[in-house]
Amino acid sequence: MEAAACGSALQFSTWIGSEKKGRRRNSFVGFNHRCRKEYSFEVINLDELQLKSVSNGRRRIHMGIPHSCKGSKAPTLESGNCCTSFDGRWFLKKKAEEVASCLDGRCIFLVGMMGSGKTTVGKVLSEALDYAFVDSDSFVEQAVGGTSVAQIFNQCGESFFRDYESEALRKLSLMPQQVVATGGGAVVRPVNWKYMKQGISVFIECTSGCLGKENCCCRN
Ligand SMILES: Nc1ncnc2c1ncn2[C@@H]1O[C@H](COP(=O)(O)OP(=O)(O)O)[C@@H](O)[C@H]1O
Ligand SMILES: O=C(O)C1=C[C@@H](OP(=O)(O)O)[C@@H](O)[C@H](O)C1
């Protein structure tokens, strides 16, 4: 699914009560902004929010939705310079319920850097949509017999991991009603976009100061 470049009128940020401590892995691939340019997402309009300005630190959630929903009143998260003054969990659930009718069981693929909030947001979305939540890293770990991602990188190398990651995304793209938290580097392989375009891609953009942190000003 191609989409128009995402707008940047308002920065929308959410705070979600943390349920798990973010796991930090010893490998890191920066989120490739070139990819983002090539695969930018459509930003669909969202109701006005009572927003207050925030000095720094922010998280943006850009949602792309299949063109089959054209004309539907699907909400969108716009990006700008404000911060919500309430728990984002409620907001995400409300918006998930609003787009549910457009999904037709399609998978939602969350993309973003390590620590951007893919797992946290994914669990809230899956709950609201009555979808299964899948962490593609865990899917890979199971496929290789339980070896951790860090061990796979250390013992087999990144290319080996990426092959399993692509196979995981291929299989997940064939399953309905899944919210998939992809690995931070999944976006660097174009073939993965082929699989993720079978569903809806959601890019969680997080300023570097926010990655992995719960107490960003954008989250309070
Ligand atoms: N919207 C949010 N509000 C509050 N804390 C968040 C939010 N998103 C992520 N976090 C926190 O940031 C850390 C990393 O989040 P996580 O969902 O594990 O990121 P990812 O899955 O992208 O690596 C966790 O400690 C989590 O609690
Ligand atoms: O950025 C990356 O290349 C990676 C991010 C990790 O996923 P998370 O974003 O869930 O930590 C995991 O897929 C692996 O360590 C590679």
Side-chain angles (χ1 to χ4, degrees):
M1 174 208 72
E2 291 308 320
C6 51
S8 56
L10 279 176
Q11 164 62 27
F12 168 74
S13 303
T14 65
W15 179 90
I16 295 174
S18 60
E19 288 168 346
K20 77 177 193 73
K21 292 288 162 233
R23 286 172 298 145
R24 309 299 300 164
R25 292 197 181 88
N26 60 11
S27 64
F28 181 78
V29 171
F31 182 61
N32 181 328
H33 288 281
R34 187 180 60 79
C35 279
R36 178 170 168 236
K37 207 161 51 200
E38 284 170 9
Y39 300 97
S40 55
F41 299 88
E42 187 171 6
V43 181
I44 316 134
N45 290 314
L46 177 67
D47 312 331
E48 275 308 304
L49 283 177
Q50 294 307 318
L51 301 173
K52 65 183 185 208
S53 66
V54 64
S55 54
N56 58 18
R58 52 178 181 251
R59 172 187 307 281
R60 291 181 184 159
I61 302 179
H62 305 263
M63 293 179 87
I65 206 157
H67 287 295
S68 56
C69 289
K70 267 251 175 285
S72 64
K73 195 182 173 328
T76 325
L77 306 178
E78 293 190 333
S79 55
N81 295 308
C82 297
C83 187
T84 53
S85 54
F86 49 80
D87 182 342
R89 184 189 305 279
W90 171 85
F91 174 81
L92 270 178
K93 285 189 171 181
K94 181 170 177 299
K95 291 307 162 189
E97 283 152 16
E98 286 184 29
V99 298
S101 59
C102 291
L103 298 180
D104 299 327
R106 285 184 178 88
C107 278
I108 293 181
F109 292 94
L110 303 178
V111 299
M113 293 176 77
M114 284 173 97
S116 57
K118 301 183 293 295
T119 303
T120 303
V121 169
K123 287 182 174 175
V124 173
L125 282 181
S126 61
E127 214 175 286
L129 296 169
D130 196 20
Y131 271 33
F133 172 76
V134 181
D135 178 315
S136 70
D137 286 342
S138 306
F139 202 94
V140 169
E141 289 170 342
Q142 278 173 13
V144 296
T147 311
S148 74
V149 169
Q151 284 173 318
I152 296 171
F153 266 77
N154 292 335
Q155 293 165 14
C156 312
E158 179 173 358
S159 177
F160 179 90
F161 170 81
R162 295 283 176 229
D163 292 344
Y164 271 85
E165 182 177 55
S166 294
E167 178 59 9
L169 292 174
R170 186 192 67 79
K171 285 179 179 168
L172 289 166
S173 69
L174 301 173
M175 300 174 190
Q177 298 182 304
Q178 315 274 327
V179 175
V180 182
T182 67
V187 294
V188 300
R189 273 202 178 181
V191 69
N192 294 341
W193 284 102
K194 189 179 83 175
Y195 302 136
M196 294 193 287
K197 281 181 186 175
Q198 306 305 312
I200 293 162
S201 317
V202 177
F203 168 47
I204 302 180
E205 184 178 10
C206 196
T207 50
S208 52
C210 246
L211 289 174
K213 294 197 189 107
E214 294 175 43
N215 305 315
C216 263
C217 77
C218 76
R219 293 174 179 161
N220 48 41

